[in-house]
Amino acid sequence: ALCIQDDPHVKVMMAGSTLRKVKSRSWKKQRHFRLLEDGMTIWYKSRWAGRGHSTFSITEVEAVREGHQSEVLLSIAEEFPADLCFTLVFHGRQGNLDLVAESTEEAQAWIQGVRKLIHKTQTMDEKERLDQWVWDWFNKADKNKDGKMNFKEVRKLLKMMNVEMNEEHALHLFTMADKSESGSLEIEQFVHFYKMLTQRDEVWKVFQDFSGDGEKLMLEELENFLRTEQQEGEQSAQHAQELTDRYEPSESAKKQGAMTFDGFQMYLCSQEGSIFKPEHRQLHQDMSQPLSHYFISSSHNTYLLENQLRGHSSLEAYIKALKRGCRCVEVDCWDGSDGEPVVYHGHTLTSKILFKDVISTLKEYAFKVSNFPVILSLENHCSVEQQTVMAQHLSQILGDTLLTTLVDGLIPQQLPSPQELKGKILLKAKKIGGLEVCLDETLTDEVSDEEEMANGECSDDPPKSKLSRELSDLVVYCKSVHFHGFEHARLHGKCYEMSSFSESKAKKLAKEAGTDFVQYNTKQMSRIYPSGLRTDSSNYNPQEMWNVGCQIVALNFQTAGLEMDLNDGLFRQNGCCGYVLKPDFMRDGSTQFSPEKPDGKQGYKPLRLSIQVMSGQQLPKVNQKEGSIVDPLVRVEIYGVPQDQAREETSHINNNGFNPVWNETLNFVIHTPELALVRFVVEDYDKASRNDFMGQFTLPFTCLQAGYRHIHLLSRDGTAIPPSSLFVNISISELT
């Protein structure tokens, strides 16, 4: 399938190797690994386990780490040298695979080979990707490996591919594809058969509407389509030329300045034809405003990979969260038995990790996906002695990365910006006294009571004996204080003071004093965390907190579901950098905005959103029960201010996950578009029990592109599941 197979490293992988799979210090077992002929699938089994084997696709692998770069491999470092060890890291929430090769050459072949294959899959275009997908299925179904398939086998394969189809129609297409009249299809013929089967009538109709001769779109016809349907206005002429250059496969059509149906379909399936405005994917917002003016992607109990009662505390959990663009991580510290502070969920059975290892991990991974600052939220349960040890680790390991001084040496009237704090880690913790006191050079260790009273600090600070001076001095812009009400904050609050609220407390304040909360959040930052009763690490809906401008809305990143979909959706814009600028009416200190009464806002302009759900393509199978085929339906959910919360769904289509066509229109009115998120969900309808989740995609309303668009679906884990998509037509208009 792929020409990369001549590569010497890939050849070693195809020949197969015996590698040790390591799960812990005591569990290390030999497995035979090899790359299958499709150049995409890695297959492995134990030598003696009879028929059982496992496979995974290169597309599921995010990266290869060389040497002892995982907790498991570090634990057996004495036994196996680093040059034999490597770790495969998967997308989403799937655990790592730790492996040990028998020789350095073999380890290198797998490390370099997998990296090349990952690069290859990332650079494939839509057409190659689809061909690869069809090829994968063909190989899965070709049981006797003769490279051919008769009609009965093809019918079985279609079922595996989620297609329930009219037998006559299938036989008719099969006969057309069987050019040699041998009663079976070879892979090229099967690809042809598949193309006929997936002929997209609904896309063909759109093409016909704009094509003068029904064969091709001339540049001005394509331009007309971009202007009238895709609502692209001014730049449509130049864009028509760019799209033809980029997506038209036929050289002769390009020369005539035309786009064929193939090119048109490739454009519609590409990033530019997707529902998400391409320019909003990039970093495009003003990053020079105070930190309090941004929503910040934030994680709760970051050290957990599973639940809060018996889960495994792990450095991997920090790596996964940071890779997802998280910019505020939480560390729960307790006294360790040998004078070294440990991190775990106190008073539970979760395992413990060393504080210094967490900080080393943070240093290595903090700025891999975003250069904007990371806030380290410290839950400190340690004795003064071990707090001092923590301060030493922070200073020694992080060095200049840790922000320990004021950006410009002045007492701030507002917080510094993400731009000014690039590449810095900020400590959020309790502090003795305020920044004002620290600047007074005559300051001794003890702050006198008069000074305390003068600073209005008395109420907030813990008794002096409980805090280590060294740790306290590392806190600059994120001083944790107790919340005494909005009135108190208006009179005495400092921009660098932060309070934490449980979800229930925040909900209550949002309902009773929404406008006060929005105003408070223009100047100070607030952190919201899940209720202590959520021992299963479930999440609350972050939207209610964003509606009142809370910046640090902490979620359990390890728990898949609606809430993390919303978080991923909000932060999918602005280069996935973990910071999103709040709407202007949430940044003005005298704002009167209230989420409960959106029509009271200046410049209030509700919008009508109309979504025609046209069709679905190659939807994923849900349950692998033999012969079961999905009955898909699409639901569109709106999250935003209370008045905007809405959901509408299509009817379900029996037995077709392959190319269902709905052609149903769902309508919404959006009162505060700047805060709204739109979530598309596909489910397998079941009248007897709960519908099964199949895929979803969530994005901010402000990032929607109008016109004919594809929505590329994501799994529960937020990872891509190509080639699954929805085809929709979106129109947005003012409510008159």
Side-chain angles (χ1 to χ4, degrees), residues 562 565 635-637 677-681 693 696-698:
L562 162 71
D565 293 347
R635 186 167 59 251
V636 177
E637 304 170 345
L677 291 168
V678 185
R679 182 173 187 250
F680 294 85
V681 193
F693 171 90
Q696 67 86 29
F697 187 75
T698 306

Side-chain angles (χ1 to χ4, degrees), residues 456-493:
E457 298 281 12
C458 201
S459 53
D460 288 335
D461 290 318
K464 291 297 153 284
S465 60
K466 294 261 182 68
L467 267 192
S468 147
R469 186 79 212 196
E470 287 84 345
L471 190 59
S472 163
D473 286 347
L474 300 179
V475 177
V476 186
Y477 292 110
C478 303
K479 172 182 173 174
S480 301
V481 301
H482 184 70
F483 179 70
H484 289 290
F486 294 123
E487 188 56 28
H488 183 274
R490 245 195 307 275
L491 298 171
H492 308 290

Side-chain angles (χ1 to χ4, degrees), residues 253-505:
K254 266 190 202 169
K255 284 203 180 72
Q256 300 173 37
M259 187 182 257
T260 60
F261 179 61
D262 276 349
F264 184 65
Q265 191 158 318
M266 275 170 50
Y267 148 63
L268 282 178
C269 293
S270 73
Q271 284 286 26
E272 288 172 276
S274 91
I275 191 167
F276 204 107
K277 280 185 189 161
E279 63 273 21
H280 281 205
R281 281 186 187 273
Q282 271 66 58
L283 188 68
H284 68 281
Q285 295 183 334
D286 173 6
M287 301 308 284
S288 62
Q289 305 208 22
L291 280 182
S292 56
H293 288 186
Y294 297 84
F295 293 123
I296 304 174
S297 180
S298 306
S299 144
H300 175 63
N301 288 349
T302 316
Y303 47 86
L304 293 184
L305 275 171
E306 297 153 54
N307 73 37
Q308 304 185 8
L309 292 182
R310 341 175 55 92
H312 178 58
S313 302
S314 166
L315 299 170
E316 278 308 324
Y318 284 94
I319 297 172
K320 282 198 185 290
L322 290 164
K323 279 206 176 142
R324 273 187 107 133
C326 176
R327 298 285 87 193
C328 177
V329 296
E330 186 185 18
V331 183
D332 272 20
C333 300
W334 301 79
D335 277 357
S337 50
D338 52 0
E340 277 295 340
V342 292
V343 173
Y344 78 113
H345 203 277
H347 313 301
T348 60
L349 299 173
T350 58
S351 61
K352 302 178 170 67
I353 43 183
L354 290 175
F355 175 76
K356 63 178 178 193
D357 290 345
V358 172
I359 304 306
S360 300
T361 301
L362 194 57
K363 173 148 175 78
E364 188 179 347
Y365 288 92
F367 304 108
K368 283 224 198 289
V369 298
S370 164
N371 322 341
F372 292 110
V374 170
I375 297 169
L376 174 57
S377 177
L378 204 56
E379 286 283 319
N380 177 1
H381 306 278
C382 292
S383 62
V384 175
E385 296 73 44
Q386 292 205 13
Q387 288 178 42
T388 303
V389 175
M390 278 159 60
Q392 286 161 357
H393 287 322
L394 286 164
S395 307
Q396 281 161 7
I397 297 169
L398 298 178
D400 295 346
T401 311
L402 183 66
L403 185 85
T404 55
T405 55
L406 293 162
V407 169
D408 49 12
L410 303 171
I411 298 295
Q413 293 313 301
Q414 57 175 34
L415 287 164
S417 68
Q419 190 62 45
E420 291 174 286
L421 296 169
K422 262 190 163 166
K424 292 291 185 197
I425 292 175
L426 279 60
L427 186 63
K428 171 194 165 294
K430 294 198 170 78
K431 184 173 179 65
I432 303 169
L435 293 178
E436 292 74 8
V437 191
C438 304
L439 284 188
D440 181 358
E441 287 310 313
T442 60
L443 183 68
T444 56
D445 247 12
E446 288 306 312
V447 183
S448 71
D449 288 345
E450 295 77 26
E451 264 186 306
E452 276 285 271
M453 294 314 286
N455 274 304
E457 298 281 12
C458 201
S459 53
D460 288 335
D461 290 318
K464 291 297 153 284
S465 60
K466 294 261 182 68
L467 267 192
S468 147
R469 186 79 212 196
E470 287 84 345
L471 190 59
S472 163
D473 286 347
L474 300 179
V475 177
V476 186
Y477 292 110
C478 303
K479 172 182 173 174
S480 301
V481 301
H482 184 70
F483 179 70
H484 289 290
F486 294 123
E487 188 56 28
H488 183 274
R490 245 195 307 275
L491 298 171
H492 308 290
K494 309 261 193 300
C495 66
Y496 59 82
E497 294 177 332
M498 276 179 71
S499 297
S500 290
F501 304 85
S502 70
E503 59 176 283
S504 46
K505 174 89 191 231

